Amino acid sequence: MTARKPPVNSYHHGSLAPALIAAAEQELSQAGIESFSLRAVAKRAGVSHGAPAHHFDGKNGLLTALAAEGYRRLIDAQNERQKKAQPDPLSQLIASGSGYLDFAMQNQELFRLMLASSLPDRDNEHFSAVSMAAFDKLAVEIRNVLGTDPYTDRVAMTQVMASWSMVHGLAELIISGRTKMPMDFTQMPAAQRDAIFEDILLRALKTN
Amino acid sequence: MTARKPPVNSYHHGSLAPALIAAAEQELSQAGIESFSLRAVAKRAGVSHGAPAHHFDGKNGLLTALAAEGYRRLIDAQNERQKKAQPDPLSQLIASGSGYLDFAMQNQELFRLMLASSLPDRDNEHFSAVSMAAFDKLAVEIRNVLGTDPYTDRVAMTQVMASWSMVHGLAELIISGRTKMPMDFTQMPAAQRDAIFEDILLRALKTN
DNA sequence: CCTTATTTCTAGACACTGTCAAGTTCCAGA
DNA sequence: TCTGGAACTTGACAGTGTCTAGAAATAAGG
C-alpha cells in the first residue's frame, strides 16, 4: 500500500508502467496507429524490447490501457468547456460536445485509437468502465435537457444516439482531414469555429 | 485496346489485378484492417508473395485501389435506395443517407478502410476522384433540397457538413458496435431501423 | 544477516510482415 | 525467328509481436 520507491539502479526502473504509457502516447501521436510499434515504445522508454509485454500483456494490452487513459482525458476536456459555459442544461450539453471536438482535434491519433480502432480490448475492465462513464455523461446531459431518462425512455435514448452521432461524425470528418476542402475548421478563428460547431450540434436536438 | 486473353498457362494469370482486388476484399473482411496481410492476399489468389506489389506498388497501393472500388459501391448502394424512394428532394436525401448506412453495415471493414483509416493514399488520382464524386452527390442533394448551391453558399455548405456528420457518425457508432448496448440496430426489424434512421437523419436539416 | 521467493527486466529465438533486387517465364512486335 | 518488355517468382533483408529461459534486483521469512 506504500508508494513505490524511486528508481535506485539501472536495472529496475521503479515505475515503468506509467512511463511506458507516456512513451506509448508519444509514439502513437508521432507514428500514427497504423505503424505503432511496441519495440519503438520500449526504445523510447529506454528498456529492452520485451519489457512492455510484461507489464501490459502485449501490444493490445498497452493500447487498451492508453485508450482508457484517453477516455479520462476526454471527460476532462469536456468538463473544462462546461466550467466556462452557462449553467443551463442546453448550454452544458453544447459545451460537452465542444469539449469532445477539442479533444479530438488535439489528440487525433489517440482519439482514433479510442473510437475508430479495433485494437483496444473493449471487454477490458478499466476500458469498458471509463468508456461507459463517458456515455453516461452524455445520457445525464440529455436527461437534464429533456427531463426524461434515456435509460427508460426510448425517445430520449434516440436523442442520445442522434447527439452522439452528430458530434462524433463531425469529429471524425475533421481529424481525417475530410472537411479541409469545403471548410477548414483547423485554420479558422476559434470563435468562428465554435459558432459553427454550435450551429451544427444544435441540429441534433429535436425539441418540438 | 482489345480485351485480355483468358489465362492460357499457370505462369501468367491473364488478369491478376482484379483478382487481387477481389482476394483483398475477402481478406479484409475476414482478417480486419489491423491484421490485413499482403502475403495472405497473394496466397488467397494463388500467386507468389511478391506478385501484388508489382501490380499495385505495395500494400498501400492495393488498399488504395480497394478503397476506390469501395466508393463506387457506396454510391451504388445509395442509388439503390433512391430508386425505391419518392422523387422529392427530401426523400431522396434521406434515401441517400440510408444507402450510406446500408453500405456501412454490410461492408464494415471496407467502410473503415475508406473513411477511418490513413492507409489509403488520398492523393491518388482514382481515389480522390471517386471520393469527391461521393461528396458531390451529397452536395447536389442538399442543393436540391435548399435551392442554393453549397459550393457558393456558406449556409448550404454548413448544411452539407451537418448532414454528412450525422450519417457518418451514426455509421461509425453502429459498425464499431458502440450502439449495441443502448439500441442494437443490427438486431432490429429493417422497417423499424429505417424509421429510427430517418428520424435521426432528418434532425441534421435546419429548415426554419 | 543470511537464505529463499518473487517480481522486474534482459536476451535470444521464432514465425511473420512489407519491400527490394535479381532472375525466370511468357507474350508481342519487328 | 529474334528481341524487348511485361508478368511473375524467388530469395534476402530489416522490422514486427510474442514466447521462453535466464539474470538482476527487491521483498519475505528465519
Side-chain angles (χ1 to χ4, degrees):
Chain A
M1 280 300 172
T2 60
R4 289 284 175 81
K5 288 181 179 177
V8 286
N9 61 76
S10 63
Y11 199 97
H12 277 35
H13 184 284
S15 55
L16 230 194
L20 284 172
I21 294 269
E25 181 173 358
Q26 289 182 30
E27 171 70 11
L28 180 67
S29 67
Q30 291 184 18
I33 295 187
E34 344 274 342
S35 52
F36 177 89
S37 156
L38 249 196
R39 291 168 109 107
V41 172
K43 189 171 292 182
R44 211 181 269 270
V47 292
S48 77
H49 70 266
H54 178 262
H55 284 273
F56 294 97
D57 193 36
K59 182 181 182 179
N60 283 25
L62 177 56
L63 288 176
T64 301
L66 180 55
E69 171 65 20
Y71 266 104
R72 292 187 205 97
R73 287 167 41 189
L74 166 61
I75 294 177
D76 287 347
Q78 294 179 288
N79 289 335
E80 200 64 30
R81 276 274 191 172
Q82 288 176 306
K83 280 197 302 187
K84 300 177 194 161
Q86 299 292 324
D88 63 286
L90 187 56
S91 298
Q92 287 291 303
L93 176 64
I94 296 297
S96 181
S98 299
Y100 195 97
L101 294 169
D102 285 341
F103 178 84
M105 290 192 291
Q106 287 164 19
N107 307 272
Q108 304 200 359
E109 293 297 327
L110 182 56
F111 182 84
R112 291 181 56 208
L113 172 70
M114 292 158 51
L115 288 119
S117 170
S118 64
L119 287 176
D121 174 21
R122 304 197 183 281
D123 295 332
N124 174 273
E125 197 177 354
H126 297 93
F127 183 91
S128 68
V130 71
S131 70
M132 283 185 65
F135 180 83
D136 265 349
K137 181 175 172 56
L138 172 60
V140 166
E141 287 156 1
I142 292 291
R143 193 193 58 192
N144 290 343
V145 170
L146 296 187
T148 52
D149 185 6
Y151 288 109
T152 57
D153 181 61
R154 190 170 190 78
V155 172
M157 184 54 92
T158 304
Q159 182 60 69
V160 169
M161 296 311 304
S163 300
W164 193 11
S165 295
M166 185 63 105
V167 66
H168 181 63
L170 186 53
E172 288 273 1
L173 294 182
I174 291 173
I175 68 175
S176 61
R178 218 163 281 111
T179 68
K180 202 159 272 178
M181 191 270 292
M183 39 175 59
D184 191 348
F185 294 110
T186 60
Q187 303 293 89
M188 198 178 275
Q192 183 184 2
R193 185 176 58 221
D194 284 351
I196 298 182
F197 284 171
E198 181 173 341
D199 176 22
I200 292 181
L201 295 182
L202 269 175
R203 297 165 187 239
L205 288 176
K206 196 182 196 176
T207 47
N208 54 341
Chain B
M1 277 299 170
T2 60
R4 289 284 173 80
K5 289 182 179 177
V8 287
N9 60 76
S10 63
Y11 199 98
H12 278 35
H13 184 284
S15 55
L16 229 195
L20 283 172
I21 293 269
E25 181 174 358
Q26 288 182 30
E27 171 70 11
L28 180 67
S29 67
Q30 290 184 17
I33 294 186
E34 344 274 342
S35 52
F36 177 89
S37 157
L38 249 195
R39 291 169 110 106
V41 172
K43 189 171 292 181
R44 211 180 269 269
V47 291
S48 77
H49 70 265
H54 179 262
H55 283 273
F56 293 97
D57 193 37
K59 181 181 182 180
N60 283 24
L62 177 55
L63 288 176
T64 301
L66 180 54
E69 172 64 21
Y71 267 103
R72 293 187 204 96
R73 287 168 40 189
L74 166 61
I75 295 176
D76 288 346
Q78 295 178 288
N79 289 336
E80 200 64 31
R81 276 274 190 170
Q82 289 177 306
K83 280 196 301 187
K84 300 177 195 159
Q86 299 292 324
D88 64 287
L90 187 55
S91 298
Q92 286 291 302
L93 176 63
I94 297 296
S96 181
S98 299
Y100 195 97
L101 295 169
D102 285 342
F103 178 84
M105 291 192 290
Q106 288 164 18
N107 307 273
Q108 304 199 359
E109 293 297 327
L110 182 55
F111 183 83
R112 291 181 56 208
L113 171 70
M114 292 158 52
L115 287 120
S117 170
S118 65
L119 287 175
D121 174 21
R122 304 197 183 281
D123 296 331
N124 174 273
E125 197 178 355
H126 297 94
F127 183 91
S128 68
V130 70
S131 70
M132 283 186 65
F135 180 82
D136 265 349
K137 180 175 172 57
L138 172 61
V140 166
E141 287 157 0
I142 292 291
R143 193 193 57 191
N144 290 342
V145 169
L146 297 186
T148 52
D149 184 6
Y151 289 109
T152 58
D153 181 61
R154 190 168 190 79
V155 172
M157 184 54 91
T158 304
Q159 182 60 70
V160 168
M161 297 310 304
S163 300
W164 193 11
S165 295
M166 184 63 104
V167 66
H168 181 63
L170 186 52
E172 288 272 1
L173 295 182
I174 291 174
I175 68 175
S176 61
R178 218 163 280 111
T179 68
K180 202 160 272 177
M181 191 269 292
M183 40 175 58
D184 192 348
F185 294 110
T186 60
Q187 302 293 90
M188 198 178 274
Q192 183 184 2
R193 186 175 58 220
D194 284 351
I196 298 181
F197 284 171
E198 181 171 340
D199 176 23
I200 292 181
L201 294 182
L202 269 175
R203 297 166 187 237
L205 287 176
K206 197 181 195 176
T207 47
N208 54 341

